[in-house]
Amino acid sequence: MPRVLPLDHHCAWREEAEELKAEVGRIGGELDALKSQLTALQRHVFGKRTERLPPVASELRGETTSAEKKAARDVAAQKKRRERAARKAAECPTREIRHTVPAGARHCPACGSEELKPVGKGRTSEVYEYLPTRFERQVHVREVLGCKRGQGWVTASGPAKVVDKGEYGPGFLAHVVTSKCADAMPLHRLALRVERGGVPMSRSTLTDLFHLSASVLLPLSRHLLQCVASSEVVWADETPLRVLDVKKTKRGYLWTFLTQNANGDWLLGYRFSLGRAGTTPTEVLRGTRGALVVDAYTGYNAVTLPSGRVRVGCWAHCRRRFFDALATAPEAREALDLILALYRVEAQAREADVVRTATHRQLRQQHSAPVLEKLRAWLEAQAPRHLPKGPMGQAIAYARNQWEALSRFVSDERLPLDNNRAEAALRKAALGRKNFLFVGHEAAGENLAGLYALVATCEANGVNPEEYLSDVLLRVQTHPNSRIGELLPHEWKRRRAADSS
């Protein structure tokens, strides 16, 4: 007869089997996650561009299969390139160089007559040439007039200087700031270039000039950040930046906060901190109301919970997670297609030139809302089929946990679909991080953040940073503090255009 085990033995074995099954599931989830990470790393390092996450714009362009639409798109692209080239050519300094016919050739090739006359304005051609940048040493001689009676004298005013008795002009300081903040050039490399131009220079002197510029422009960069914080819709993001410590470096963070005003001008502010906690967002956005467009990082909870700004999610982060899960879960393609449908509605709004209008909101409610309902139903159906720690499980959990924040754009036309603007605002900092590796101390990081803000706002609004800085470096110290906003890049550009017209 078969041996019958006691009931408690069966229960113990059943519990042990359940525990082993759970352990196998946990290990399987971790294995899938490691496989996904390895695949993503290999794709990032060794993969072709076609194997990486394609930009939304390229996917939307790829959907256009009609020959007529393709031709229309090509014509529009050519027109845009020509307009951009013409705009840039108008900004470039132009010098006309006349070429005359040599004396030995001033006769008619047909009859030999030497009675020739000009025909029209001549044949023109354009050549873009590079003239090496040069520095010059200016010797300012101030006239002194003395009284014939010997009672006194009058001395002419000297050149305007950023700092009394300073040896470097505002244009030189503007060049130093722009080279580091816009071109990501380390100061030791800039010192070599300056010396090639004939100016004796050391890295320590350039460092002093850089921080001097930051201290002079501090009221302006501080006011710029306040303008961003007081806006209704703010984008935010952060990136690591190493800080020099005793015999090593430690991790600091560069934060960006940006907005777009009613005139379409972009305002970018930056802050530096030694930690990634919610202290920095709290200091910048404390007491303000509106929307905050960020990723899922919990450091922003300090200004969104319980009664702060309304949090708006980022569909680009969500899309990236599903793309990373695609290698182990092909069904993630359906989520990617639905997310692409949301971006398709935004592309239609841009083509119709109705962005941030009531029509834009109607388009979202009519087309984007049904896509969101379909995507949410798909997430609910897929959630039980994937391990929580697997790539697909984590992508689904991210979307479900952030669903309320991800869905807010439908009811407010001012809200963007993603946080890509803030990520793009940190790319220059990422390039600088590769070139100059670290900042010397916390104060240096704060100075770098302030100058980044002014230079980035210039570039976002089509302002030449060198021209702007060389002007405001002299004016900011005497400009009334109550009207400091007049010196911000977008207002400066508007006033210059009004003065020249």
Side-chain angles (χ1 to χ4, degrees), residues 170-171 174-175 177-178 217 219-221 224 450-451 453-459 462-476 484-494 496:
H175 179 68
V177 173
T178 304
L217 296 170
L220 200 53
S221 59
L224 176 58
L451 294 177
L454 295 175
V455 171
T457 303
C458 282
E459 294 185 324
V463 177
N464 185 330
E466 286 196 18
E467 184 180 355
Y468 166 78
L469 292 173
S470 62
D471 182 48
V472 299
L473 274 168
L474 292 174
R475 296 173 57 189
V476 69
I484 195 70
E486 296 174 356
L487 298 183
L488 292 179
H490 59 292
E491 294 292 346
W492 181 87
K493 176 184 178 182
R494 194 170 289 115
R496 288 291 288 265

Side-chain angles (χ1 to χ4, degrees), residues 270-291:
Y270 291 83
R271 278 291 293 272
F272 178 81
S273 69
L274 292 179
R276 200 189 177 198
T279 306
T280 300
T282 302
E283 292 175 351
V284 174
L285 301 174
R286 181 191 291 115
T288 63
R289 293 292 181 268

